[in-house]
Amino acid sequence: MAGNTLAAARFSAAVTLLRTRRSPVVAVPLAPSGLRHHRRSVGMAAGAAPSPIPASDPLPKGSDLFLRSVPSNMQKVYLSRNPTAEKILDLVHSYDGDNICFDHFAFRTFGVDGYGINSLAEFFTDFGYESREELRFPAKKLRALWFSPPNNDGYSRTGIYGPLPRIFISELLVDELSAPSQEIIRKYIKTSANGNKYAVLASTFGELTWEKPTYSDFQVLSRESEYAGWTLVNGYALNHATVSTHRLESDIRSISKFNKFVENNGFKLSTEGGILKVSPDGLLQQSSTVADSSLFTFADGITEPIPRSYIEFAERLPLPQFRDLQDEEVKEHHRRDGFEVGNADKIFESTSKDQLTRRSA
């Protein structure tokens, strides 16, 4: 079984390394100021733009290099399965030069029996990431936490070896699903042994920690929750990487121009909620492609296309108190931080059947 494979000897050295410095993650911990994090949900009134968050201390060089190697290998799996993302990154590089930096990496999980947010989050918090804000999506039966990276000042490279991305991890509230869907998810979780302890390894190697599912189980879950179906067949794989358009150097650093650039080169963007998703304060603007799909052979021998991942784009505008700064003076901590439930709710739809159907039309 895949779960036993990940726990087997061929990963033992990597497991030992990943399990060092482990400490539990609290779902809604105290912020450095002693105040609990904000909780937002779809339909709640929007507040003021989040204030800049002070970065934690930088990591020692060795730890920093090891930390970066993990999302770097996650990205390799992601690009190997999602040709659209790779083509767009190459396109942007050819147009704008070596200026691509990532705003955030996002993951999906099953929030049951230890397979939810914490299964991935502990690795990142062990290496300096800090838990920030909880977001709720009641209609989708989801919750999410995002994590800010260690100090990003003084970077001289780009990509995953440039400024570290934020980490956004969501989980499906399995207990809120129908009894048949709960039964299916728990059935596969049981085949995973202790796979939740090795979630980061699973993402790095592109492996499921549970048995390969049957097509009928995938169909049942997908009918109730497309998020559940996606997670069943993709596991802890990187759901999407997000390019920071405002870190680019050419005219496409404006996300509106960036979107036109992408579309003019033959790529389809998700139309759910409009191509451009804008936060109520106007300072966080996001768009995304429609997910790629690929053939997958299920445990019962049936081969069918499944949704894979997509690439997102984000522009964070300066906060009101910093609008008078010159462009060259504006740093990331001067810009709007955090996430917006209304935007994220629509971005989730990038893997939906409706958007995939539109892509193939």
Side-chain angles (χ1 to χ4, degrees):
M1 291 184 292
N4 292 334
T5 301
L6 284 173
R10 75 183 181 99
F11 295 132
S12 59
V15 170
T16 301
L17 188 57
L18 286 177
R19 294 186 68 184
T20 58
R21 301 172 62 199
R22 304 279 286 192
S23 59
V25 177
V26 179
V28 188
L30 294 176
S33 63
L35 298 176
R36 288 196 179 275
H37 301 302
H38 297 293
R39 176 183 291 182
R40 293 188 180 185
S41 63
V42 176
M44 291 179 62
S51 299
I53 294 173
S56 56
D57 293 336
L59 290 171
K61 185 176 181 180
S63 295
D64 180 76
L65 290 174
F66 174 67
L67 167 62
R68 291 173 186 273
S69 72
V70 172
S72 175
N73 282 295
M74 292 173 174
Q75 184 188 7
K76 289 176 183 177
V77 174
Y78 163 79
L79 292 177
S80 71
R81 294 177 176 176
N82 301 284
T84 295
E86 185 170 34
K87 289 175 183 176
I88 289 178
L89 290 174
D90 287 345
L91 177 68
V92 173
H93 184 273
S94 67
Y95 186 85
D96 194 86
D98 191 18
N99 298 307
I100 297 172
C101 297
F102 293 110
D103 181 87
H104 65 274
F105 279 11
F107 303 87
R108 296 180 177 186
T109 67
F110 287 133
V112 64
D113 297 339
Y115 282 78
I117 292 171
N118 286 4
S119 61
L120 281 167
E122 287 185 351
F123 170 80
F124 292 101
T125 56
D126 280 350
F127 284 89
Y129 275 80
E130 295 188 10
S131 176
R132 295 302 180 186
E133 186 180 30
E134 182 188 68
L135 298 92
R136 291 270 179 173
F137 307 86
K140 287 183 169 63
K141 300 179 175 63
L142 304 175
R143 68 183 285 265
L145 285 174
W146 74 273
F147 300 79
S148 60
N151 196 308
N152 266 331
D153 292 340
Y155 69 90
S156 58
R157 298 176 66 183
T158 57
I160 200 60
Y161 290 94
L164 285 164
R166 300 163 184 82
I167 299 296
F168 183 97
I169 310 174
S170 57
E171 66 180 16
L172 180 66
L173 302 176
V174 175
D175 290 342
E176 296 184 10
L177 298 178
S178 66
S181 291
Q182 288 190 47
E183 183 179 348
I184 289 171
I185 292 171
R186 292 179 189 277
K187 176 179 70 175
Y188 286 100
I189 291 300
K190 286 180 181 178
T191 72
S192 180
N194 294 315
N196 59 320
K197 295 181 181 179
Y198 312 111
V200 168
L201 279 179
S203 184
T204 301
F205 288 101
E207 298 285 345
L208 296 175
T209 67
W210 45 78
E211 286 183 346
K212 181 181 282 191
T214 65
Y215 184 56
S216 58
D217 285 342
F218 170 70
Q219 285 182 306
V220 170
L221 283 190
S222 297
R223 279 195 291 267
E224 179 169 356
S225 166
E226 288 175 330
Y227 182 108
W230 190 96
T231 306
L232 184 68
V233 292
N234 289 283
Y236 291 111
L238 179 60
N239 175 256
H240 66 270
T242 302
V243 174
S244 293
T245 66
H246 57 268
R247 291 186 184 271
L248 299 174
E249 297 292 336
S250 67
D251 59 314
I252 59 172
R253 68 195 313 268
S254 159
I255 195 168
S256 295
K257 292 183 179 179
F258 186 96
N259 289 341
K260 291 179 181 177
F261 173 75
V262 170
E263 290 184 311
N264 288 343
N265 280 276
F267 298 98
K268 287 189 177 181
L269 298 179
S270 173
T271 58
E272 186 70 25
I275 286 177
L276 187 63
K277 288 76 173 168
V278 182
S279 60
D281 59 24
L283 302 181
L284 176 59
Q285 303 186 10
Q286 297 164 275
S287 61
S288 64
T289 63
V290 178
D292 281 319
S293 60
S294 66
L295 292 176
F296 183 89
T297 301
F298 291 86
D300 45 8
I302 298 173
T303 299
E304 289 288 339
I306 61 168
R308 289 298 190 178
S309 301
Y310 56 95
I311 187 167
E312 184 189 324
F313 320 107
E315 181 178 7
R316 297 178 182 273
L317 298 174
L319 294 165
Q321 61 268 39
F322 301 122
R323 283 176 180 163
D324 292 335
L325 293 177
Q326 298 298 312
D327 286 349
E328 63 273 14
E329 298 176 311
V330 177
K331 307 300 182 184
E332 192 70 7
H333 65 270
H334 295 134
R335 297 179 181 275
R336 206 267 201 197
D337 208 348
F339 292 84
E340 186 63 44
V341 288
N343 287 20
D345 186 63
K346 303 305 181 186
I347 293 289
F348 276 125
E349 297 296 322
S350 298
T351 58
S352 72
K353 185 177 180 179
D354 287 347
Q355 291 298 317
L356 290 171
T357 301
R358 174 181 168 271
R359 175 185 175 132
S360 61

